[in-house]
Amino acid sequence: MSGPWAALRKARYALPYYVERVARGPGPAAASRRCRALHRRGRAATLGYFQAGDSDPKEIVAAYSAVAGLLADRSGEACLSVKAPPLDFDPACLRTIADSASAAGLALMFDAHAPKDADRTLEAVERLLGEHPAGFALPARWRRSPADADRFRDTAARIRLVKGEWADPEGDEPDVAAAYLALVDRLAGRSAPVAVATHDPELAERALGRLLASGTPCELEQLRGLPARRTGAVAARLGVPVRVYIPFGPGWWPYALDKALARPYLLSWMLRDRLGKPGR
């Protein structure tokens, strides 16, 4: 590839890095305000920090401690969601964040990452579970996820079911929606919460319906900024609480821009959601 197309491709991948230098994402204060605004609307929040490319672990820990302090005594309303790989899975860093969360009455979640990070993530969850409310994201597209669901089914770990962003190196499940519902069935009947994290209204209705029928505590989780009108209507009809994932930190805008450039269908998806039409 050469000429104008090569230049355009280069500009496309350079743009998120440029944005990171000139536009810092929302900080802890802005994230806590959004959390409180959601609470006034009867919704809970998960706050996830997106670090800059040059952030060190101390900076990341400080950001989580700051937002936890701003949300002290908001028990049940908010969770902190941690990306462990940028912290190199350092037990001291993770414990400091967990202690800050517990002191504020918040649960701690672990975001999903590439499959190579899965074992260390789940080990970190197990280490913390005895002392802190903790949980993790479980990707339906990974072939290992049924075994991971069984491993944590009867524990106190909160589980957030996602389709998954990272491909399975051994090959994705051929039908991710079917794999998602199979995980729901494996977790149905547990006493710890399950979050159905999807913007697909049909999948949300089927997953939440099965969890409700089994008496499993459950909620719908949505990423702030993605279409949520139709899935929100499903949650309201079923009487299920809604939690919104609020990204913050200097790396958020570059990440969001990169995903928008990679997924040009997002604009039409948002329009369809507004109009209540079927689509993604």
Side-chain angles (χ1 to χ4, degrees), residues 25-28 31 34 47-51 63-64 67 80 246-252:
R34 288 171 180 165
L47 292 88
Y49 184 72
F50 284 67
Q51 74 283 349
Y64 276 110
V67 80
L80 299 186
I246 301 174
F248 72 105
W252 168 239

Side-chain angles (χ1 to χ4, degrees), residues 180-229:
Y180 194 106
L181 292 173
L183 290 174
V184 168
D185 290 339
R186 296 181 95 94
L187 296 170
R190 75 190 306 254
S191 56
V194 175
V196 171
T198 180
H199 290 263
D200 178 336
E202 181 181 350
L203 182 60
E205 183 151 20
R206 295 174 70 185
L208 291 168
R210 293 185 189 189
L211 292 169
L212 288 170
S214 68
T216 308
C218 58
E219 61 188 6
L220 175 71
E221 185 158 347
Q222 307 281 262
L223 175 62
R224 183 177 185 271
L226 287 187
R229 180 173 176 269

Side-chain angles (χ1 to χ4, degrees), residues 117-126 136 144 148 151-152:
D117 298 314
D119 285 333
R120 295 176 77 186
T121 297
L122 297 183
E123 288 164 7
V125 174
E126 285 181 324
F136 62 97
R144 62 170 289 159
D148 291 336
R151 174 178 171 182
F152 285 89

Side-chain angles (χ1 to χ4, degrees), residues 28-29 31-33 35-36 47 61-75 78 80 96-106 248:
S32 67
R33 287 195 297 271
C35 178
R36 293 177 190 279
L47 292 88
V61 171
Y64 276 110
S65 297
V67 80
L70 290 167
L71 292 172
D73 301 321
R74 315 295 289 188
S75 182
L80 299 186
T96 299
I97 295 172
D99 288 344
S100 295
S102 290
L106 312 174
F248 72 105

Side-chain angles (χ1 to χ4, degrees), residues 256-271:
L257 177 59
D258 182 65
K259 296 306 175 187
L261 291 171
R263 301 171 181 175
Y265 60 78
L266 281 175
L267 184 59
S268 62
W269 178 22
M270 294 176 84
L271 180 60

